[in-house]
Amino acid sequence: MTALTDAGWLVIAGLGPGAARLVTPEVSDALATATDLVGYGPYVARVPARENVVRHGSDNREEIDRARLALRLAAEGRRVAVVSSGDPGVFAMAAAVFEAMEAGDPAWRGLDVRVLPGVTAMTAAAARAGAPLGHDFCAVNLSDNLKPWDLVERRLTLAAEADFVIALYNPVSKARPWQLGRALELLRTVRAADTPVVFATAVSEAHERVDTVRLADADPTRADMRTLVIVGSSQTRLIARPHGRAAFVYTPRSAPSAGTS
């Protein structure tokens, strides 16, 4: 990214999965010069305190209002950082900002707006487990806040039939305690019982927990709002390790030809 100027700008920045060490230097540089931080309250709180910065924290379901605020502030000449957990382009604020821009003041289209990538929950979880995303994979958001549940089920079914490794974002919440259980039931109708399933919670933080189980044994109550679930493909394998250490989970980079087992 070229150097940010003193004029108004807006960056949409990924804070990574949790630990400060996983925030990229590019994001840290932008946060250090921003005049305004905009985002979901707990994510704004993750940014280290400093003087001369205004924090605009808001509720988790206020994405479009948050995006409009950020665009208005940048149009006023402020240096604005919209922060997201993980990567801002993966089920996060980058799309919300562009949605607000498209529908909003035409002058917003001329703003200096940049998306700064971050370490996603999906890749952070995969790294802890081994390399389960080593071949073709997809990501499905189990939240039905912005799409109907029957569309979620259709996409899960097609992804399972196509034999993708599937990363499940937002598997449960207080308002949606049942979706992961239903998703696992659906996947069991397509995938083998011994398919590896990775539950990764609070990756990179002190209370991190990563477990790998068989699909047949996957318990939806193991997940919470900080959990990313990875369901392996037919090719995903485990490498047992000595002394009680967790097995490595990986998916080979190659796949068998059609018609072979």
Tab-separated table of all heavy atoms in Angstrom, residues 24-47:
chain	number	residue	atom	x	y	z
A	24	THR	N	-1.142	-7.173	11.178
A	24	THR	CA	-0.069	-6.900	10.233
A	24	THR	C	0.545	-5.526	10.479
A	24	THR	O	-0.127	-4.604	10.974
A	24	THR	CB	-0.567	-6.956	8.779
A	24	THR	OG1	-1.423	-5.837	8.529
A	24	THR	CG2	-1.316	-8.247	8.499
A	25	PRO	N	1.818	-5.338	10.122
A	25	PRO	CA	2.433	-4.014	10.249
A	25	PRO	C	1.685	-2.947	9.454
A	25	PRO	O	1.594	-1.785	9.900
A	25	PRO	CB	3.850	-4.235	9.702
A	25	PRO	CG	4.121	-5.689	9.945
A	25	PRO	CD	2.802	-6.368	9.730
A	26	GLU	N	1.147	-3.290	8.299
A	26	GLU	CA	0.389	-2.343	7.494
A	26	GLU	C	-0.826	-1.821	8.260
A	26	GLU	O	-1.101	-0.612	8.260
A	26	GLU	CB	-0.051	-3.018	6.190
A	26	GLU	CG	-0.833	-2.123	5.255
A	26	GLU	CD	-1.285	-2.852	4.002
A	26	GLU	OE1	-1.793	-3.998	4.134
A	26	GLU	OE2	-1.145	-2.285	2.911
A	27	VAL	N	-1.538	-2.728	8.919
A	27	VAL	CA	-2.696	-2.318	9.709
A	27	VAL	C	-2.255	-1.477	10.902
A	27	VAL	O	-2.860	-0.442	11.209
A	27	VAL	CB	-3.503	-3.553	10.161
A	27	VAL	CG1	-4.527	-3.175	11.227
A	27	VAL	CG2	-4.191	-4.206	8.973
A	28	SER	N	-1.202	-1.894	11.583
A	28	SER	CA	-0.715	-1.136	12.743
A	28	SER	C	-0.340	0.289	12.355
A	28	SER	O	-0.627	1.247	13.086
A	28	SER	CB	0.488	-1.847	13.372
A	28	SER	OG	0.108	-3.094	13.913
A	29	ASP	N	0.295	0.466	11.191
A	29	ASP	CA	0.676	1.798	10.741
A	29	ASP	C	-0.559	2.668	10.510
A	29	ASP	O	-0.572	3.849	10.879
A	29	ASP	CB	1.492	1.711	9.445
A	29	ASP	CG	2.888	1.152	9.672
A	29	ASP	OD1	3.321	1.085	10.840
A	29	ASP	OD2	3.544	0.780	8.681
A	30	ALA	N	-1.590	2.092	9.890
A	30	ALA	CA	-2.813	2.864	9.639
A	30	ALA	C	-3.501	3.237	10.946
A	30	ALA	O	-3.962	4.382	11.122
A	30	ALA	CB	-3.758	2.067	8.748
A	31	LEU	N	-3.574	2.301	11.895
A	31	LEU	CA	-4.219	2.588	13.170
A	31	LEU	C	-3.479	3.667	13.944
A	31	LEU	O	-4.095	4.455	14.675
A	31	LEU	CB	-4.295	1.313	14.008
A	31	LEU	CG	-5.160	0.173	13.448
A	31	LEU	CD1	-5.063	-1.051	14.346
A	31	LEU	CD2	-6.610	0.610	13.290
A	32	ALA	N	-2.159	3.721	13.779
A	32	ALA	CA	-1.355	4.696	14.519
A	32	ALA	C	-1.574	6.121	14.035
A	32	ALA	O	-1.265	7.075	14.772
A	32	ALA	CB	0.126	4.341	14.408
A	33	THR	N	-2.100	6.297	12.826
A	33	THR	CA	-2.297	7.641	12.291
A	33	THR	C	-3.768	7.998	12.116
A	33	THR	O	-4.079	9.126	11.702
A	33	THR	CB	-1.581	7.790	10.935
A	33	THR	OG1	-2.037	6.772	10.038
A	33	THR	CG2	-0.076	7.661	11.112
A	34	ALA	N	-4.682	7.086	12.437
A	34	ALA	CA	-6.107	7.369	12.291
A	34	ALA	C	-6.571	8.375	13.345
A	34	ALA	O	-6.102	8.370	14.483
A	34	ALA	CB	-6.915	6.077	12.415
A	35	THR	N	-7.511	9.229	12.946
A	35	THR	CA	-8.142	10.143	13.904
A	35	THR	C	-9.409	9.551	14.492
A	35	THR	O	-9.863	9.976	15.558
A	35	THR	CB	-8.506	11.474	13.221
A	35	THR	OG1	-9.419	11.217	12.133
A	35	THR	CG2	-7.272	12.174	12.695
A	36	ASP	N	-9.985	8.550	13.781
A	36	ASP	CA	-11.253	7.964	14.206
A	36	ASP	C	-11.203	6.455	13.996
A	36	ASP	O	-10.754	5.973	12.948
A	36	ASP	CB	-12.417	8.539	13.400
A	36	ASP	CG	-12.625	10.011	13.650
A	36	ASP	OD1	-11.848	10.838	13.099
A	36	ASP	OD2	-13.561	10.360	14.401
A	37	LEU	N	-11.696	5.708	14.980
A	37	LEU	CA	-11.837	4.258	14.885
A	37	LEU	C	-13.324	3.928	14.894
A	37	LEU	O	-14.056	4.368	15.777
A	37	LEU	CB	-11.155	3.563	16.062
A	37	LEU	CG	-9.651	3.786	16.233
A	37	LEU	CD1	-9.164	3.105	17.498
A	37	LEU	CD2	-8.891	3.271	15.018
A	38	VAL	N	-13.752	3.142	13.924
A	38	VAL	CA	-15.159	2.790	13.783
A	38	VAL	C	-15.266	1.270	13.736
A	38	VAL	O	-14.500	0.607	13.023
A	38	VAL	CB	-15.749	3.401	12.484
A	38	VAL	CG1	-17.203	2.982	12.303
A	38	VAL	CG2	-15.625	4.916	12.500
A	39	GLY	N	-16.230	0.715	14.487
A	39	GLY	CA	-16.403	-0.727	14.427
A	39	GLY	C	-17.280	-1.243	15.547
A	39	GLY	O	-17.763	-0.486	16.400
A	40	TYR	N	-17.485	-2.553	15.526
A	40	TYR	CA	-18.164	-3.247	16.614
A	40	TYR	C	-17.386	-2.978	17.903
A	40	TYR	O	-16.150	-3.077	17.923
A	40	TYR	CB	-18.222	-4.731	16.273
A	40	TYR	CG	-18.813	-5.644	17.313
A	40	TYR	CD1	-19.961	-5.306	18.026
A	40	TYR	CD2	-18.226	-6.892	17.564
A	40	TYR	CE1	-20.505	-6.157	18.968
A	40	TYR	CE2	-18.771	-7.766	18.488
A	40	TYR	CZ	-19.906	-7.390	19.193
A	40	TYR	OH	-20.442	-8.254	20.127
A	41	GLY	N	-18.096	-2.640	18.966
A	41	GLY	CA	-17.462	-2.199	20.195
A	41	GLY	C	-16.285	-3.031	20.670
A	41	GLY	O	-15.199	-2.492	20.933
A	42	PRO	N	-16.438	-4.376	20.797
A	42	PRO	CA	-15.310	-5.184	21.273
A	42	PRO	C	-14.093	-5.152	20.348
A	42	PRO	O	-12.963	-5.292	20.815
A	42	PRO	CB	-15.912	-6.599	21.337
A	42	PRO	CG	-17.376	-6.368	21.553
A	42	PRO	CD	-17.691	-5.147	20.744
A	43	TYR	N	-14.304	-4.949	19.044
A	43	TYR	CA	-13.175	-4.867	18.124
A	43	TYR	C	-12.467	-3.523	18.257
A	43	TYR	O	-11.225	-3.467	18.236
A	43	TYR	CB	-13.627	-5.089	16.685
A	43	TYR	CG	-14.276	-6.434	16.434
A	43	TYR	CD1	-15.155	-6.607	15.376
A	43	TYR	CD2	-14.024	-7.521	17.261
A	43	TYR	CE1	-15.759	-7.839	15.137
A	43	TYR	CE2	-14.623	-8.747	17.039
A	43	TYR	CZ	-15.498	-8.905	15.974
A	43	TYR	OH	-16.097	-10.117	15.749
A	44	VAL	N	-13.235	-2.449	18.398
A	44	VAL	CA	-12.624	-1.144	18.631
A	44	VAL	C	-11.798	-1.183	19.913
A	44	VAL	O	-10.699	-0.609	19.987
A	44	VAL	CB	-13.704	-0.047	18.703
A	44	VAL	CG1	-13.108	1.273	19.185
A	44	VAL	CG2	-14.368	0.143	17.342
A	45	ALA	N	-12.298	-1.889	20.927
A	45	ALA	CA	-11.586	-1.966	22.207
A	45	ALA	C	-10.259	-2.713	22.093
A	45	ALA	O	-9.389	-2.548	22.963
A	45	ALA	CB	-12.472	-2.640	23.256
A	46	ARG	N	-10.093	-3.522	21.044
A	46	ARG	CA	-8.833	-4.255	20.862
A	46	ARG	C	-7.692	-3.358	20.397
A	46	ARG	O	-6.522	-3.739	20.510
A	46	ARG	CB	-9.025	-5.393	19.845
A	46	ARG	CG	-9.757	-6.599	20.404
A	46	ARG	CD	-10.028	-7.633	19.323
A	46	ARG	NE	-8.852	-7.988	18.556
A	46	ARG	CZ	-8.872	-8.794	17.505
A	46	ARG	NH1	-10.018	-9.311	17.090
A	46	ARG	NH2	-7.759	-9.077	16.853
A	47	VAL	N	-8.009	-2.201	19.864
A	47	VAL	CA	-6.974	-1.295	19.360
A	47	VAL	C	-6.326	-0.582	20.544
A	47	VAL	O	-7.033	-0.010	21.379
A	47	VAL	CB	-7.566	-0.270	18.379
A	47	VAL	CG1	-6.475	0.674	17.877
A	47	VAL	CG2	-8.245	-0.990	17.214
